[in-house]
Amino acid sequence: MSGPIIITGGDERYFPLMQDCLTSLAASGRLNGAALGVLDCGLSAGQRLWCERLGAHIVEPIWDVHFAQGLAVADSFRAMTARPHLPRYFPGFDVYLWLDADVWVQDGTAIDLFIEAAALGDIAIVPEVHRSYANFRDGREDFETVNGMAYRQAFGDDAAERLIRRPLNNAGVFAMRSSSKAWAIWAELLADAATRSSNMIDQIALNVAIYDRGLAEVRLPARCNWISHLATPAWHPACKCLVEPDPPFEAIGIVHMTLDTKWQSHCAFAVAGRRGETINRPVRYSPKT
C-alpha cells in the first residue's frame, strides 16, 4: 500500500456525526485517491457494517497510554490516545490525515491542501487563530482560562505560563507523513501527560511537542478546520455555502462542530454581506446544499 489514508473514529454515540463526516468526504470526491480508516471505539455491528460498505478499514484501538489511578476516562477516548499511533494501526501509507468525527467537509480542496502540506514539515495543522474568533477579542480570557488549566494539569505551571499565549493548534484535523518525527514525540508526551491528567491531553501534548520540542508545523488557514464555537460561520446565498463571517467571506473547507455546536440541529447564520439578516439552517452536513 502507498498513498494517503484518511482516518476518523468514535463510538456509538458519535456515529451519526461520523456518518456526516464520511458522507461529506465521499461527496467531495476525495476518497477516489485515498484509503479510508475508522477507529472503532464502541461502534455497533450495524455501524461497523455501514463503514465497511463505504470501503473503510476498521481497527479497534487498545489503550495506548496508562492513566493515573483515579482519572475518569470514557472508553471512546481511545480515539484520542490512538492518534500518535496511526501508522501502527494502519501501516503502509505515505500520508495520514485525521478527521475528528464531528467535522464535515464542505470543500474538498481543504483535504488536498492538508495532504500536500504534510510534505512540507513535520505536521500540517490549523491554529485556532482568525480575526472572527472569540479568542481574538472579548473571549480571550475564557479561552486562556480553559486551556491554561489543561496545560497546568498536564505539564505544570511553567508550561502553562510559557505556552498559553501561543496559538493553540487544533488536533481535530491534521496530516503527517509516515516518516515524520512528530509521531514518536507526540506519543511520548501524551503518555507522560496521562500520568497526571485526562483534560484535553491529546491536544495539549501535541502543542507542547510543537513549541517545546521544535516540531516544524505547517500552518494552514482557519477555513481548513473552522472552530464553530469560536465563531459561527455565515451563509452565502449566492454560493450556497458556509463562509467566514467577515469579508471577503471566503468559503469554509472543513466545518468543525466543536463543544455544544455538534449537538445543535439548526442555527441562525448571519447572511454574508447583509448586516442584521439571518437564515435558519442545519448546522450539520446536508447533501442538499
Side-chain angles (χ1 to χ4, degrees):
M1 293 179 291
S2 61
I5 182 171
I6 303 172
I7 305 167
T8 188
D11 61 2
E12 195 167 4
R13 179 180 180 231
Y14 271 74
F15 181 71
L17 296 169
M18 191 191 305
Q19 278 187 302
D20 289 347
C21 175
L22 296 180
T23 301
S24 67
L25 180 62
S28 75
R30 267 56 188 183
L31 283 180
N32 296 336
L36 177 63
V38 170
L39 290 177
D40 176 3
C41 300
L43 299 176
S44 69
Q47 291 167 347
R48 285 178 62 98
L49 180 60
W50 186 92
C51 295
E52 289 170 352
R53 286 174 174 167
L54 203 61
H57 306 274
I58 302 178
V59 176
E60 185 174 351
I62 62 172
W63 281 110
D64 288 292
V65 302
H66 298 286
F67 285 95
Q69 187 174 5
L71 291 179
V73 183
D75 205 41
S76 60
F77 199 70
R78 286 177 295 159
M80 305 297 104
T81 59
R83 282 182 294 174
H85 306 277
L86 293 179
R88 190 182 83 236
Y89 286 117
F90 302 94
F93 295 94
D94 298 325
V95 176
Y96 293 79
L97 171 59
W98 171 265
L99 300 176
D100 271 3
D102 56 1
V103 312
W104 59 272
V105 180
Q106 178 175 250
D107 180 356
T109 60
I111 298 293
D112 301 336
L113 185 55
F114 266 106
I115 293 173
E116 293 167 7
L120 303 178
D122 297 318
I123 182 170
I125 199 164
V126 179
E128 295 185 6
V129 176
H130 191 273
R131 64 191 182 281
S132 303
Y133 281 175
N135 62 0
F136 184 71
R137 298 174 297 180
D138 51 345
R140 184 69 197 179
E141 185 175 347
D142 289 342
F143 184 84
E144 291 189 2
T145 298
V146 171
N147 292 291
M149 178 63 72
Y151 274 121
R152 191 167 292 108
Q153 291 172 343
F155 293 103
D157 292 341
D158 289 345
E161 293 298 322
R162 185 174 64 256
L163 301 179
I164 189 53
R165 294 191 181 277
R166 296 202 175 195
L168 184 72
N169 295 283
N170 187 276
V173 185
F174 66 85
M176 286 199 274
R177 291 167 292 124
S178 59
S179 59
S180 174
K181 65 182 182 182
W183 298 111
I185 295 173
W186 187 11
E188 173 198 340
L189 289 167
L190 180 54
D192 178 49
T195 64
R196 293 178 293 274
S197 175
S198 60
N199 181 11
M200 295 197 307
I201 57 171
D202 54 310
Q203 186 158 277
I204 292 301
L206 180 56
N207 277 272
V208 171
I210 290 170
Y211 292 125
D212 284 357
R213 295 293 187 89
L215 295 185
E217 85 273 29
V218 183
R219 297 178 291 274
L220 298 186
R223 67 177 183 84
C224 291
N225 181 9
W226 187 265
I227 308 302
S228 294
H229 82 273
L230 291 178
T232 302
W235 173 254
H236 199 297
C239 301
K240 291 184 169 53
C241 67
L242 296 179
V243 297
E244 299 174 328
D246 288 301
F249 306 117
E250 291 188 1
I252 293 171
I254 298 175
V255 181
H256 196 164
M257 297 180 296
T258 44
L259 299 184
D260 292 343
T261 64
K262 65 173 60 65
W263 307 120
Q264 295 176 0
S265 58
H266 285 70
C267 181
F269 293 96
V271 177
R274 301 180 185 175
R275 184 175 294 275
E277 185 176 340
T278 60
I279 182 172
N280 192 49
R281 276 190 40 79
V283 179
R284 290 169 52 176
Y285 170 67
S286 173
K288 295 180 181 179
T289 54

